[in-house]
Amino acid sequence: MEFGLDETFFAFVALIIFLGLVVYLKVPGMMAKSLDDRADQIRNDLAEAKRLREEAQHLLAEYQRKRKEAEAEAAHIVAAAEREAEMLTTEARKKTEEFVANRTALSEQKIKQAEADAMKAVRSAAVDLAIAAAESVLAKKADGPVQSELFSNAIGEVKARLN
């Protein structure tokens, strides 16, 4: 067997040189360091993600609490507005009823006054008519001496009342 320089030998020598360079250049340490750095980065990312998740849960809980408070406040505002609207409606209804009652009373008073004025006007017209009728009858039936006597009596009554 002859020990010759064939391709296998050169491949073996190249492998040894390659492995020597790998060890000399500290490639396994760099790979381990790179993997360790990558593992640290992943751990940091996971810790950050966990922290952000907890913060997001905290914010979610806070916003849900604020939403519930806002809903409760909105319900309170709506209830207060409904009470106020009911109160305003009741007050408006009461004022309307008072206004109608006052207007009705005023109208009734005006009607009574108009009736009284009409009655006075009718009485006055009746008195004027009666006086005119009496004058007419007296003028036809009374002669000169009776008229003088009636005139004298009327003047006497007026003087008596003035004194």
Side-chain angles (χ1 to χ4, degrees), residues 82-135:
E82 287 174 351
R83 284 192 306 270
E84 187 173 342
E86 181 67 30
M87 186 174 63
L88 290 173
T89 301
T90 303
E91 185 177 329
R93 188 174 296 127
K94 181 180 174 186
K95 285 185 178 182
T96 301
E97 289 172 359
E98 288 176 1
F99 179 75
V100 168
N102 288 341
R103 283 295 193 173
T104 302
L106 184 62
S107 296
E108 288 174 358
Q109 186 179 10
K110 285 182 178 182
I111 290 170
K112 286 180 183 178
Q113 183 65 40
E115 286 175 352
D117 290 346
M119 290 296 283
K120 285 180 185 178
V122 168
R123 284 184 184 149
S124 176
V127 167
D128 289 344
L129 186 60
I131 291 173
E135 236 176 52

Side-chain angles (χ1 to χ4, degrees), residues 37-47:
D37 289 346
R38 181 75 178 143
D40 289 343
Q41 180 64 34
I42 290 172
R43 254 191 303 282
N44 289 339
D45 288 347
L46 286 174

Side-chain angles (χ1 to χ4, degrees), residues 2 26 57 104:
E2 183 176 317
K26 300 179 184 174
Q57 286 177 338
T104 302

